[in-house]
Amino acid sequence: MRTLVLIKPDGVARSKVGEIISRFEDKGLKVTALKLMRLDKDRAERHYAVHKGKPFYDSLLNYITSAPLVAIVIEGNNCIDIVRKLVGATNGAKAEPGTIRGDFSTGIDFNLIHASDSEDSAKYEIPIFFEDREILSLERADKDWL
Ligand code: CMP
């Protein structure tokens, strides 16, 4: 199973990339693709197509294209649910302490991170950011213990 994580422009600008990736690695998940990139408008529109027409859509596109982000493919047992739990509620003010948003975000506009919310979403979102050949097959040295 795979999921897409984006460390959004605020997470990159605030130098939280290492800390955020550590949380997934510490949990026992695998990073199988990783890219620092500036998202163009076309890809941003595809990624956030479900939010088109919502009041926050235009500001969301401005935010996500405003500066570099880090796109990550994460794999592992139950990775979609586990990553969503580690990320926390969408609104940083409501996210539990101990989650990424709960620890680093105070609101909903700048919430540091995106994670696919289902297998269907992951299958739609991952190809927006990665070609198949960019997602590598690798094993953790501790795989028998995870
Ligand atoms: P994300 O998980 O990337 O999915 C959509 C993003 O829209 C969300 O995180 C927030 O960054 C942003 N957003 C801003 N306002 C809202 C809102 N009212 N509801 C949901 N998402 C919002």
Side-chain angles (χ1 to χ4, degrees):
M1 184 189 282
R2 286 177 175 164
T3 190
L4 178 80
V5 164
L6 302 178
I7 304 177
K8 299 190 203 176
D10 50 332
V12 175
R14 292 175 58 199
S15 302
K16 297 297 178 200
V17 173
E19 163 90 38
I20 290 172
I21 292 175
S22 288
R23 296 204 179 192
F24 301 125
E25 289 182 325
D26 288 349
K27 182 70 174 171
L29 301 172
K30 283 192 295 194
V31 170
T32 57
L34 185 66
K35 198 183 275 184
L36 176 69
M37 64 193 289
R38 180 89 182 255
L39 197 63
D40 57 63
K41 192 157 180 271
D42 172 65
R43 279 201 259 195
E45 284 175 349
R46 277 158 55 207
H47 177 68
Y48 281 130
V50 295
H51 295 299
K52 195 170 165 70
K54 294 185 184 167
F56 57 86
Y57 179 72
D58 288 343
S59 60
L60 177 59
L61 285 200
N62 283 337
Y63 157 48
I64 205 73
T65 58
S66 63
L69 57 72
V70 172
I72 307 167
V73 175
I74 287 181
E75 295 185 24
N77 290 336
N78 304 307
C79 64
I80 291 176
D81 286 348
I82 290 171
V83 166
R84 297 277 295 180
K85 278 200 181 117
L86 292 174
V87 164
T90 307
N91 187 337
K94 295 187 178 149
E96 289 294 319
T99 65
I100 293 165
R101 289 172 176 154
D103 287 350
F104 302 127
S105 162
T106 60
I108 201 161
D109 294 323
F110 298 115
N111 63 357
L112 278 103
I113 185 161
H114 166 87
S116 306
D117 64 6
S118 66
E119 278 195 76
D120 283 348
S121 298
K123 283 186 183 137
Y124 173 78
E125 292 171 358
I126 288 170
I128 296 172
F129 294 85
F130 295 98
E131 293 176 30
D132 270 352
R133 64 179 174 81
E134 294 175 308
I135 303 170
L136 304 187
S137 161
L138 59 91
E139 289 191 341
R140 288 180 57 131
D142 54 0
K143 67 177 172 14
D144 294 339
W145 301 96
L146 295 170

